[in-house]
């Protein structure tokens, strides 16, 4: 099932994609839905990229922070540009019993700035 649905309007343009998820070990058969939108900001992409990566402003937009300060546990530079890196992040609002962390990979060049994030839980290990 590779279906996509596009809702267009004068103020919003949302693309919704569906796909079947079958034969994935440890997961029941299901349908995965992804939604995306884009919009123009009247500031530079570098300003937005820096805002999204600033640990002091992250609680303003990051639902994974749970209202706590984001701590960078690991930071590995990946390339020549300052923004190219892989980081492991953790919110100070998360209890020591919950080992949820965030893996973040960022890439930037002259034309493009990308950030991918995935939350995960460390089983059987405490990070505090």
């Amino acid at each position: 099932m590779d279906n996509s649905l596009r809702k267009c309007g004068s103020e919003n343009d949302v693309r919704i994609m569906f796909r079947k998820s079958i034969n994935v070990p440890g997961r029941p058969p299901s349908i995965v839905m992804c939604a995306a939108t884009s919009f123009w900001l009247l500031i530079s992409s570098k300003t937005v990229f820096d805002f999204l990566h600033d640990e002091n402003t992250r609680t303003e937009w990051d639902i994974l922070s749970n209202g706590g300060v984001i701590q960078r546990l690991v930071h590995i530079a990946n390339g020549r540009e300052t923004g190219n890196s892989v980081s492991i992040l953790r919110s100070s609002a998360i209890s020591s019993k919950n080992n949820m962390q965030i893996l973040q990979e960022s890439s930037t060049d002259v034309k493009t700035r990308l950030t991918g994030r995935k939350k995960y839980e460390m089983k059987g290990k405490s990070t505090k």
Side-chain angles (χ1 to χ4, degrees):
M1 170 191 262
D2 283 331
N3 295 331
S4 64
L5 169 69
R6 188 173 187 157
K7 178 184 173 195
C8 297
S10 60
E11 294 187 20
N12 58 11
D13 186 3
V14 178
R15 184 171 178 97
I16 302 171
M17 294 158 279
F18 299 88
R19 69 176 172 85
K20 282 186 181 179
S21 177
I22 51 178
N23 297 327
V24 178
R27 293 195 178 193
S30 59
I31 296 176
V32 177
M33 181 189 87
C34 298
T37 189
S38 63
F39 49 91
W40 287 99
L41 296 174
L42 299 176
I43 56 177
S44 73
S45 61
K46 181 180 181 339
T47 302
V48 174
F49 188 80
D50 292 344
F51 174 78
L52 295 176
H53 288 87
D54 184 349
E55 283 115 16
N56 297 316
T57 60
R58 190 173 293 262
T59 56
E60 294 178 32
W61 65 269
D62 188 356
I63 194 167
L64 295 177
S65 71
N66 292 322
V69 175
I70 291 289
Q71 303 162 326
R72 187 183 299 161
L73 303 176
V74 176
H75 179 83
I76 302 168
N78 184 13
R80 294 182 200 164
E81 299 289 330
T82 306
N84 294 351
S85 63
V86 176
S87 300
I88 297 176
L89 311 170
R90 179 177 172 81
S91 172
S92 64
I94 297 173
S95 71
S96 60
K97 292 180 181 177
N98 182 343
N99 292 320
M100 195 274 295
Q101 296 176 353
I102 302 162
L103 178 65
Q104 174 176 285
E105 182 172 3
S106 301
S107 178
T108 182
D109 63 26
V110 175
K111 294 182 180 180
T112 309
R113 300 187 196 311
L114 301 169
T115 298
R117 303 175 71 216
K118 171 70 175 144
K119 72 177 185 174
Y120 66 95
E121 187 172 338
M122 298 281 294
K123 302 274 186 199
K125 285 189 172 184
S126 178
T127 57
K128 285 198 173 191

